[in-house]
Amino acid sequence: MTATGWPFLIARGRRRGYSVLLAPPLLRKEYGVLEDVVGPASGVQVATVRGVRVVWEEYGVTEADIGGEPSDEHSRPLRLLHGVVSRERVEPSEVDMGRVRAVALETYRRFLADEEGFAVEWSEPVAVPVRRRSQRSRRWLALPVAAAGVLLAVVVIIATSEPEPGPPPPCPTTTAPATAPATTCP
Amino acid sequence: MGLVVVVVLVALGVLVVVKGRRRKGQGRAVSGEVPVPRLRVVALGVQGSGKTVLLTGMYRKLQSPGDRGFHLKVPFDQLIELNRWYREVAGSDTGWPAGTTRKDMREFDFGVMTTVGDRAATVFDIGYLEYPGELLTDPDAPGSTAQQQLLAAVPEADALIGIIDGLRVLQAHQGDRRGLSVLHTTLDAMVHCMLTVRAPIAFVITKWDVLDQLHEDENTRLEMVRDLLMEVDGFRDLVTVHSARRVVRLIPVTAVGHDFAVLDGDTVRKRPDGRFQPANVELVLSAVVPDVLQQVELAVDVRTRQAIMAEAQRRLRVGPAEALRTLTAFVAERAAKAVAATAGGFTAAGLALLLESRAEPDPGYQERLSALDEADRWAEEFIQARRRVVRRLQDQVAVFEGRLPASRLRGDAP
C-alpha cells in the first residue's frame, strides 16, 4: 500500500545559508516549519509537524554529485537534508529515499548554479509505502492497556497530591446548660 | 494480563519513589540548592564567521580550572555536542564543522563552578545562544519561527557579542570588494540589533591568525583593525553612542591558534602538522561578568545604589543562608523595578551580582563565621567564593586590557 508524499530539500550553498530549496505544495504557505524541525541526522529521522509526517535523512554531497569541490566558501562540507512529507504514516525504504535524493540533487545543482537568483521549487508527488497496522494484533491489547492507564493515573494523582490536613482540634469540653446555644471556638 | 501486573508494579514503584523524595526533600540542608544569577549572552554573527568554532574553543579553554580558580560545566548532552565539534575542528584530517541549522538553535548552559568549602558548586550561570548565522541576513521562510526567537532574545540579553569574521576584515583591508561588502553587511546587521539595546557589547574578531600578516605587534594590528571598522558609519555611530554609558570591547581571538590553519586564496585550510592552540577565546565569556557589573554601576545613580546595597547588607547580617535564598527574589521584585524606572539597562541577574561583589569588607568576618551554624557557614563561604570568581574575571580582563589597550573601543578613538 502506498500514499502520496512530496520530496523536500533543505541545504546550504557555497555562499547562502541553510534554507528550503525544494518545498512540498502541501506546505505552500508555511514550508518554513521544515527548517525548524529538520536538522542534522544520523540515519532516517521522523517528525510530525502541523499534522504532516516528515521523514528525512542527511547526505554529504560528493564531488561527483555537483562536479566541483563539495564545500562552501568557508571550507565547510556541503550537506543535504532531504526527505518526504505526507499526510499518511509513510515509511520510505532506502530505495525510496534514494529516489527522493536524486530529485533533491537536481534541485541542488540548479541552486548552486545561481544561488542569489534561486527561488524555492515545488516538488511533484511521489508514491511512498505506508506502514500497515495489524488491527487484530492491537485489539487484544486495548482493554488491559486502558485498565493499566487508569490505574497509573490514580497512582500519579495520589503520589502528587499534598496530604490532607487533619481534622481541626475539638473545642474544649465545658459543662454547659442543655439550653445554651451552640458556639464556635473562640 | 501480564502487562497489567507489570504496570501495577511500575506504578507502585513510582509511588514509593515520589513519596520517598518528598520526605527526603523536607529535611534538605540549605547548602543543597542555592538560586544563582543567570546571565544571558547572545552572540550575533553571520554564517561562516566562526560562532560554532568559537563556542567550542571557549568551552575547551574554560572546562578545567587551571590557575583561574573556576571552570565551566555544561549539561551532558551539550558536552557531547561540544566534543563532537571539537573533534571536527581539531582533527587535521577532518573538515570544519558543517554549520548550524535552524533546528540546531539552542541556548548552551554554562555553569560557572568553583570550590565552596570542600566541594564544587555553581556560583552563577551563563546562557549562550547558538543559532545559524543566516538568521541575521536572510528572510525567514513562511512558517519558520527561528528568526523571531533570535530577535526576541537580543533585547533580553545581559550581554551581546558581535562576531566579526577576521577573513572578511583582511579582505576589506586588501581592497577586496566582496570582502568589504560582506563586512559591511555583517556590521549593518549587528548595528541594527545592537543600537537600541543597553547591554554591554563585545565585538570579537575571529580568525585572528589570518590577520597575523598585517603587523607583527598585536596591539598595532588591533589598532589597524579598529581603524578600519571605525570607518564604517554605522559601526562608528554605535561605538560613539554606547561607549558613553557602557563598555564596548574589541577582542581578537583565534579558536584554533596561529599555527593551525593557512590561508589558501580565499579559503582557510588546516595544516597537516598544525598545532591546535586557541588564543584569547576565554576572554569572550570572561569579560561578560565584569562588563555587566560595570554596566549596572553606570546605569544606577549613586543614591539608588546605596539604598539597594544597604538592604543587601542588612539581609546578609540576618544570615548568609537567608540572604542567598531571598536576595534573588528581592532584586527581581523590588530593586530591579525601582531602578529600571529611573535608569534601566540591566537585568536582575546583573544587579544581584553587583550587590555581592561591591559589598563592604567585613573586619569581623572570621569571628562572625565561627558563630554561624553549618548552613549559614556554607552560605557565607558560597558568597565569598562567588566574589573571588568575579574578582578573578575582573583581573583577567584588566590584564588583557593592559596587554591590548586598543581593545577598549571609544567614540573619540582616532
Side-chain angles (χ1 to χ4, degrees):
Chain A
M1 188 179 166
T2 61
T4 302
W6 285 267
F8 71 87
L9 168 66
I10 297 172
R12 207 181 53 225
R14 297 195 193 281
R15 294 183 172 186
R16 266 182 57 177
Y18 280 105
S19 62
V20 175
L21 303 177
L22 179 63
L26 190 61
L27 295 170
R28 186 173 287 274
K29 290 183 178 172
E30 49 186 4
Y31 60 87
V33 295
L34 291 173
E35 295 176 356
D36 292 354
V37 298
V38 174
S42 55
V44 175
Q45 303 288 311
V46 180
T48 302
V49 57
R50 311 277 161 93
V52 172
R53 186 173 168 91
V54 185
V55 185
W56 80 92
E57 66 180 6
E58 184 177 338
Y59 173 73
V61 178
T62 66
E63 195 168 343
D65 289 328
I66 56 172
E69 196 173 343
S71 59
D72 71 0
E73 63 175 340
H74 308 286
S75 312
R76 301 181 298 185
L78 296 174
R79 297 200 173 148
L80 307 184
L81 300 168
H82 66 89
V84 288
V85 300
S86 175
R87 289 197 179 92
E88 306 295 329
R89 287 176 62 87
V90 291
E91 278 201 347
S93 65
E94 270 186 45
V95 175
D96 297 318
M97 291 303 275
R99 269 186 4 231
V100 169
R101 187 185 313 132
V103 172
L105 272 168
E106 285 176 24
T107 296
Y108 192 60
R109 289 187 202 102
R110 286 191 289 274
F111 166 67
L112 284 185
D114 181 15
E115 288 187 28
E116 298 306 321
F118 184 87
V120 175
E121 295 183 351
W122 303 101
S123 58
E124 297 292 328
V126 294
V128 190
V130 176
R131 179 181 173 187
R132 287 192 70 168
R133 296 180 194 175
S134 165
Q135 295 298 321
R136 194 163 172 269
S137 65
R138 283 179 21 209
R139 202 171 296 147
W140 71 271
L141 273 172
L143 190 60
V145 167
V150 169
L151 184 63
L152 189 60
V154 169
V155 168
V156 168
I157 290 168
I158 293 170
T160 55
S161 62
E162 291 296 327
E164 283 190 15
C171 295
T173 52
T174 54
T175 307
T179 53
T183 56
T184 55
C185 294
Chain B
M1 205 54 210
L3 183 65
V4 176
V5 172
V6 169
V7 172
V8 168
L9 289 174
V10 169
L12 288 173
V14 168
L15 186 65
V16 168
V17 169
V18 170
K19 289 290 184 190
R21 278 192 180 170
R22 188 171 286 171
R23 272 195 297 274
K24 195 177 171 187
Q26 284 166 357
R28 203 162 213 171
V30 172
S31 59
E33 290 169 11
V34 173
V36 294
R38 180 178 179 79
L39 301 170
R40 306 189 79 164
V41 178
V42 176
L44 298 169
V46 300
Q47 58 155 330
S49 57
K51 292 187 300 299
T52 305
V53 178
L54 173 65
L55 176 63
T56 308
M58 284 190 304
Y59 181 72
R60 294 294 302 181
K61 196 84 174 183
L62 293 171
Q63 65 173 338
S64 56
D67 60 353
R68 281 179 294 272
F70 69 90
H71 67 281
L72 298 184
K73 188 177 181 183
V74 289
F76 197 69
D77 60 324
Q78 297 186 352
L79 174 68
I80 290 171
E81 188 76 345
L82 287 166
N83 282 342
R84 186 173 67 79
W85 288 334
Y86 169 69
R87 284 195 301 276
E88 289 178 5
V89 172
S92 58
D93 55 345
T94 56
W96 301 104
T100 309
T101 66
R102 281 169 163 81
K103 169 78 178 338
D104 289 330
M105 183 172 174
R106 91 207 82 164
E107 192 169 66
F108 277 79
D109 300 311
F110 294 118
V112 179
M113 313 280 294
T114 192
T115 305
V116 180
D118 58 355
R119 64 188 171 90
T122 306
V123 288
F124 52 88
D125 285 321
I126 296 178
Y128 187 98
L129 190 66
E130 162 77 355
Y131 65 93
E134 50 266 30
L135 287 183
L136 275 185
T137 52
D138 298 351
D140 238 357
S144 176
T145 58
Q147 202 165 47
Q148 290 167 26
Q149 287 177 47
L150 172 64
L151 295 178
V154 170
E156 300 296 319
D158 293 279
L160 293 177
I161 295 170
I163 312 274
I164 299 172
D165 187 340
L167 179 57
R168 299 302 185 200
V169 173
L170 179 67
Q171 290 170 336
H173 174 78
Q174 292 171 336
D176 179 283
R177 289 177 67 91
R178 180 156 188 274
L180 187 64
S181 157
V182 175
L183 181 64
H184 281 193
T185 309
T186 303
L187 295 176
D188 288 350
M190 288 180 196
V191 169
H192 173 80
C193 293
M194 292 172 163
L195 204 52
T196 52
V197 301
R198 294 166 167 180
I201 295 172
F203 287 101
V204 172
I205 308 290
T206 57
K207 307 174 192 174
W208 186 233
D209 46 303
V210 305
L211 287 153
D212 284 351
Q213 57 185 278
L214 288 188
H215 198 279
E216 60 184 24
D217 177 66
E218 194 172 24
N219 194 56
T220 306
R221 206 153 68 226
L222 192 57
E223 282 175 353
M224 292 169 75
V225 171
R226 181 197 62 194
D227 294 348
L228 187 145
L229 294 174
M230 292 292 271
E231 284 174 12
V232 180
D233 291 344
F235 184 84
R236 185 177 59 249
D237 291 346
L238 178 76
V239 171
T240 304
V241 169
H242 273 248
S243 61
R245 286 199 61 80
R246 57 193 60 89
V247 181
V248 185
R249 294 188 190 282
L250 186 63
I251 304 174
V253 306
T254 166
V256 294
H258 291 270
D259 183 40
F260 186 78
V262 62
L263 191 58
D264 176 14
D266 286 341
T267 307
V268 181
R269 297 189 194 282
K270 295 178 181 178
R271 289 182 180 182
D273 56 346
R275 279 184 308 145
F276 185 79
Q277 228 167 14
N280 292 347
V281 284
E282 72 279 17
L283 285 157
V284 179
L285 275 189
S286 296
V288 165
V289 173
D291 288 356
V292 167
L293 294 179
Q294 194 164 348
Q295 165 68 14
V296 179
E297 284 204 301
L298 287 169
V300 183
D301 65 88
V302 174
R303 187 179 295 178
T304 310
R305 192 163 70 235
Q306 283 173 346
I308 295 170
M309 292 287 189
E311 176 67 11
Q313 290 284 18
R314 191 186 65 75
R315 281 166 190 258
L316 280 168
R317 269 184 230 109
V318 170
E322 180 63 17
L324 271 182
R325 269 199 305 270
T326 61
L327 208 53
T328 306
F330 159 71
V331 167
E333 289 171 16
R334 292 173 58 192
K337 276 183 195 168
V339 177
T342 56
F346 55 87
T347 62
L351 187 54
L353 277 179
L354 181 80
L355 292 180
E356 276 181 17
S357 65
R358 297 293 189 274
E360 294 297 320
D362 182 358
Y365 174 70
Q366 286 303 334
E367 189 183 334
R368 191 162 60 82
L369 191 66
S370 62
L372 296 174
D373 66 21
E374 190 185 347
D376 269 339
R377 196 177 305 130
W378 189 88
E380 179 64 32
E381 287 177 3
F382 182 92
I383 292 169
Q384 296 301 329
R386 185 150 62 191
R387 280 184 191 161
R388 277 198 302 276
V389 171
V390 170
R391 274 200 298 270
R392 201 76 187 91
L393 291 166
Q394 289 167 327
D395 291 347
Q396 219 175 347
V397 173
V399 168
F400 170 71
E401 275 191 27
R403 186 164 63 85
L404 295 176
S407 66
R408 192 70 179 260
L409 291 179
R410 292 183 179 86
D412 57 357

